[in-house]
Amino acid sequence: DQVLHIVPETFQQVQHLQHLCSTLLLDLWKPLLPEDIGAGEEVHIRVPAPLVQEVKDSLDQHLISYKILIPDVQKLVDESMPRERSTQRQEQGGYIYTKYHPMEEIDQWMTQIQKNNSELVTQHYLGKTFENRAMYYLQISQPSNKAKKIIWMDCGIHAREWISPAFCQWFVKEILQNYKSDPKISRFLQNLDLYVLPVLNIDGYIYSWEKERLWRKNRSPYMNGTCYGTDLNRNFNSSWGSIGVSYNCSSEIFCGSAPESEPETRAVAHFIEQKKSDILCYLTIHSYGQYILTPYGSTTKPPSNSEELMNVAEKAAAALMGKYGTSYKVGPTSLILYNNSGSSRDWAHMIGIPFSYTFELRDKGTHGFVLPVDQIEPTCEETM
Amino acid sequence: DIGGIGRKYHLKVVLEDVLDQDSTVNCTAEVLYHLGNKNVAPDVQFTLEGELKNTDEADNIFYSRIKSLEEELVAENIPDSHGNMPPEMKPIHLLAWVASGYVIWQNSTENTMFQLAQIKHVKQVKRSDEYLEFDYTILLHEMVTQEIIPWQMTVLWHPQHGVQVTQ
C-alpha cells in the first residue's frame, strides 16, 4: 500500500480525484472527506497495493502530478508495533513466556502448571512475605521408588531483576514440555527432583511493577516506617554483616537487623536447612552481568570443593556460549565481582550443599535491569 | 602502584560498535587513579588501533529530524519497564549513553562500576545557534553499592562538533 501526496491545480483535477476516491473506494487521509478536496490544497490518499498502478496511470492520464509520501505502509506499521507481537508463542495453554508477567499472573500460572502436569508437578507453601503474601515453590518430581537428590532453584530475590523470574517460568515450561521426548531431561528427572521458586521477593517484585521499577530489596519497614527494605541477598546467615553490606536501611545493600531478620529469608532458609542432606545443588538466579558465581563473597579463601565447583561452572559457561555466543565469566564472587556477606549462595554452601551457584543473567549493562522482552527467549534458551 | 601519586592500570581492550557487533576496534589505554583527592577524575590516555566508523549520514538524518520538529522533544522512561524503546528514541538514548560515559568517568574510582540504567526524563531546549541541547534526568546504577543514582545533565550536540556535557 502506498500513500500519495497530490496538490490538484484545477477544478477538473479536483473532480477527477473525487471521482477516483469514490469509485475505487480509496482511503482518504487528508482532507477528511472527498467534498473537502480543493484546488491548491494538499491531498493524501492511501492506495491499496493492487490499485497502485491503476491510480498512478489515471493520474498521469489527467496530468495530475503526485509524490509518494509513504512507499510501504505495512513496513511503517510493523516498525511501530512492539516486537513481542511477532514473537508471541502460544504455549502451555496460551501463557506467553516471552514477556514479563506481574505477580498475579505468575500465581495463576503456577496453579495452571500444576493442574496441567499433575503427574509430575506439585505446588507447595514455603512461607509468608512481610506483606503477608504466600510464597510457593513448584516441585517437579517423577514418581519412583528411588530416593532422589534435589536441585533447588530460586528466582527474583532482587525485585528489579525481571529476567530472573522470567527464566524460572521458562525453565519449568521447557522441562515439562520436553521430559518425554528429550533423553537428557528424561534421565535428569529419573535421578533428580527439581524445586523451583519463581519469585522469592514477592513484595519487592510487585513494588517494582507498581511503584518503582528499579527497586531491589524487600518491603519491610525500618526506622519507624521512614525507610523500607532489606537486601535479602545480604540477610542470610553466612558471615552476616561482615563485608560488602550497609547497616543503614537507606542503602540498597542493607543487611537487615540480624541474620534471617526477614520473613522471606527465614522461609527459604528453614526449608533448605531441613532438606539439606538431600540437596545436591543450590541455584539462585539474578541479573545482570553475565556471571556464574561460586562461593564465597565474604572471603577469598576458596571453598573445600573449589576445583569441582569451577569445573562444573566452566562447563556450564561453555555450553551457554555455544548457543548464541554469549560469554559468561566464572569464578568466586570475592575475586571477580565484589565482596559481600550474607548471600544465599554462600550460606547454602556453608551448611553443606556441595554445588552452590549464583547466575547473573544478561546483559552486561547495555540494558541492565531493563532487559527488552525480545531478549527473554534467547537468554532463557542459552541458560537452559 | 606509583608511589605518592596513585595507581595506574594498563589496559588492552576491544571496542565493539553497539549498533553492529561485528565492527570492533582494538584499543590500549592507561588509567591513573589519583591517591588522596577522590574528587578528581582518573586520568585516561588511549590509543585506537584503527578507525571508528563514519556516522555522518545517520548523524545528519537525526540532526535534520530534530531541527524540523515543530515542538521541542520531550520524553520519559527510555527504555520503558519492559525494555522497549520506540525506534525514533534510539538516537536520544545513544546520546544519553555517550554523555553518561563522561559523567561516569568524572565520578569513577577504583571501587565503582557505573552503568546507565534508564533515562527518566529528557527535554529538548530551544537554542538560537546550530547546536542541539537536551536536558536529561538519568538513572545511574552503581554495581558495588547497588545504588540507583539520579543525575541531571545538559547535553549539547552537533554533527560536526560532537558532544559536550555540563552537569
Side-chain angles (χ1 to χ4, degrees):
Chain A
D1 293 6
Q2 294 195 340
V3 175
L4 305 180
H5 171 282
I6 304 160
V7 182
E9 284 155 20
T10 67
F11 184 63
Q12 260 127 352
Q13 291 187 347
V14 169
Q15 277 193 315
H16 182 68
L17 280 177
Q18 287 170 336
H19 175 80
L20 271 180
C21 284
S22 43
T23 43
L24 294 178
L25 298 174
L26 297 179
D27 181 9
L28 194 59
W29 281 16
K30 178 178 167 156
L32 212 52
L33 300 167
E35 42 266 43
D36 297 329
I37 298 179
E41 281 165 29
E42 253 179 44
V43 177
H44 296 170
I45 309 180
R46 179 183 67 86
V47 183
L51 296 174
V52 166
Q53 201 48 57
E54 184 180 331
V55 168
K56 286 180 177 170
D57 288 343
S58 172
L59 293 174
D60 289 338
Q61 252 174 23
H62 286 78
L63 301 175
I64 302 176
S65 59
Y66 61 88
K67 242 178 24 193
I68 301 174
L69 200 61
I70 301 176
D72 187 340
V73 177
Q74 188 57 50
K75 187 149 163 267
L76 223 54
V77 169
D78 289 341
E79 277 166 16
S80 68
M81 297 286 254
R83 273 214 45 201
E84 42 186 310
R85 292 292 169 94
S86 51
T87 53
Q88 241 170 42
R89 304 247 220 101
Q90 303 292 61
E91 329 238 31
Q92 283 302 116
Y95 195 76
I96 299 166
Y97 290 88
T98 50
K99 68 178 214 215
Y100 297 118
H101 290 271
M103 200 62 217
E104 324 92 68
E105 286 176 18
I106 299 180
D107 285 329
Q108 284 159 15
W109 168 81
M110 266 195 278
T111 313
Q112 265 305 113
I113 286 284
Q114 185 189 264
K115 226 161 80 157
N116 294 352
N117 300 275
S118 50
E119 73 283 6
L120 224 49
V121 182
T122 43
Q123 184 176 357
H124 300 266
Y125 177 81
L126 198 61
K128 270 219 162 92
T129 67
F130 180 81
E131 290 177 345
N132 241 350
R133 295 189 176 92
M135 297 166 68
Y136 293 105
Y137 69 91
L138 292 172
Q139 178 181 344
I140 303 176
S141 185
Q142 205 156 46
S144 129
N145 48 19
K146 255 202 310 210
K148 280 178 280 166
K149 288 292 186 188
I150 298 168
I151 299 199
W152 166 279
M153 180 166 75
D154 60 65
C155 293
I157 194 174
H158 289 141
R160 57 193 180 200
E161 299 165 11
W162 286 13
I163 185 66
S164 165
F167 174 72
C168 266
Q169 292 164 69
W170 183 285
F171 179 84
V172 168
K173 175 237 338 162
E174 278 293 305
I175 299 284
L176 296 176
Q177 254 177 16
N178 300 306
Y179 75 97
K180 289 197 188 119
S181 54
D182 185 327
K184 261 204 266 208
I185 300 183
S186 133
R187 210 182 67 203
F188 210 72
L189 288 182
Q190 271 159 33
N191 298 300
L192 295 158
D193 285 347
L194 298 168
Y195 288 37
V196 179
L197 172 58
V199 184
L200 199 159
N201 179 9
I202 298 173
D203 298 345
Y205 187 69
I206 293 176
Y207 193 78
S208 76
W209 270 79
E210 295 180 351
K211 293 268 159 50
E212 206 181 303
R213 175 61 177 84
L214 295 176
W215 187 258
R216 170 182 166 89
K217 307 181 287 179
N218 76 347
R219 292 294 300 165
S220 61
Y222 281 86
M223 318 274 275
N224 259 329
T226 58
C227 176
Y228 284 83
T230 298
D231 182 345
L232 295 173
N233 204 33
R234 301 287 187 278
N235 189 237
F236 283 79
N237 195 9
S238 43
S239 307
W240 178 86
S242 59
I243 191 173
V245 294
S246 169
Y247 306 116
N248 196 327
C249 168
S250 42
S251 164
E252 296 280 19
I253 48 177
F254 173 53
C255 54
S257 51
E260 294 182 18
S261 58
E262 307 305 305
E264 295 91 348
T265 314
R266 283 199 300 275
V268 172
H270 290 175
F271 179 78
I272 296 195
E273 175 78 54
Q274 222 179 58
K275 300 262 187 187
K276 68 179 176 189
S277 46
D278 291 323
I279 302 179
L280 178 61
C281 178
Y282 173 84
L283 296 172
T284 177
I285 312 293
H286 294 236
S287 79
Y288 57 90
Q290 291 172 202
Y291 299 102
I292 300 179
L293 300 168
T294 58
Y296 297 106
S298 50
T299 167
T300 49
K301 188 181 100 163
S304 48
N305 62 339
S306 115
E307 231 179 83
E308 221 188 345
L309 271 173
M310 283 299 287
N311 203 338
V312 172
E314 266 154 16
K315 288 217 174 75
L320 203 153
M321 186 167 207
K323 185 85 184 171
Y324 294 113
T326 311
S327 70
Y328 269 59
K329 288 222 253 300
V330 176
T333 307
S334 53
L335 285 181
I336 69 171
L337 192 53
Y338 46 49
N339 286 14
N340 66 4
S341 55
S343 74
S344 64
R345 173 216 54 235
D346 282 1
W347 175 79
H349 192 271
M350 284 176 182
I351 62 166
I353 295 172
F355 293 97
S356 187
Y357 299 100
T358 303
F359 271 70
E360 295 275 357
L361 301 178
R362 287 195 192 182
D363 57 19
K364 295 210 60 103
T366 310
H367 299 95
F369 299 118
V370 201
L371 195 67
V373 293
D374 62 10
Q375 285 206 41
I376 296 180
E377 187 174 341
T379 306
C380 292
E381 287 200 344
E382 71 194 2
T383 314
M384 204 73 206
Chain B
D1 269 302
I2 301 185
I5 300 192
R7 192 172 279 151
K8 194 182 247 196
Y9 291 83
H10 299 270
L11 303 168
K12 276 208 182 86
V13 293
V14 180
L15 304 181
E16 187 184 88
D17 186 341
V18 170
L19 300 176
D20 173 13
Q21 265 107 18
D22 294 325
S23 172
T24 62
V25 175
N26 289 340
C27 173
T28 51
E30 279 178 9
V31 180
L32 172 62
Y33 290 102
H34 294 279
L35 252 184
N37 189 358
K38 296 296 175 199
N39 288 331
V40 177
D43 285 343
V44 179
Q45 307 282 335
F46 69 95
T47 320
L48 289 178
E49 287 156 33
E51 267 172 32
L52 294 178
K53 217 158 65 164
N54 182 299
T55 55
D56 288 350
E57 197 185 325
D59 288 348
N60 287 321
I61 291 175
F62 172 60
Y63 185 73
S64 317
R65 177 161 70 85
I66 302 294
K67 273 291 183 192
S68 65
L69 289 176
E70 283 169 8
E71 273 175 23
E72 280 82 51
L73 183 147
V74 174
E76 289 190 329
N77 290 337
I78 300 170
D80 68 15
S81 290
H82 296 250
N84 296 318
M85 178 172 12
E88 67 268 16
M89 283 301 151
K90 185 92 193 154
I92 299 284
H93 183 249
L94 290 173
L95 184 60
W97 211 358
V98 172
S100 69
Y102 174 78
V103 171
I104 289 171
W105 168 39
Q106 294 296 301
N107 291 280
S108 287
T109 69
E110 281 173 278
N111 300 308
T112 60
M113 183 162 134
F114 289 99
Q115 295 281 357
L116 173 66
Q118 195 186 33
I119 299 171
K120 226 26 205 158
H121 186 82
V122 57
K123 190 182 74 191
Q124 183 187 359
V125 177
K126 203 158 187 66
R127 283 184 78 85
S128 49
D129 64 16
E130 19 151 59
Y131 278 84
L132 296 182
E133 181 176 334
F134 297 95
D135 266 340
Y136 283 95
T137 303
I138 56 172
L139 296 176
L140 293 173
H141 169 235
E142 202 292 293
M143 194 60 96
V144 180
T145 58
Q146 287 294 323
E147 294 299 327
I148 300 290
I149 303 162
W151 203 279
Q152 204 84 32
M153 60 183 190
T154 300
V155 183
L156 291 172
W157 180 75
H158 184 278
Q160 271 86 55
H161 305 145
V163 183
Q164 235 182 289
V165 181
T166 50
Q167 289 170 231

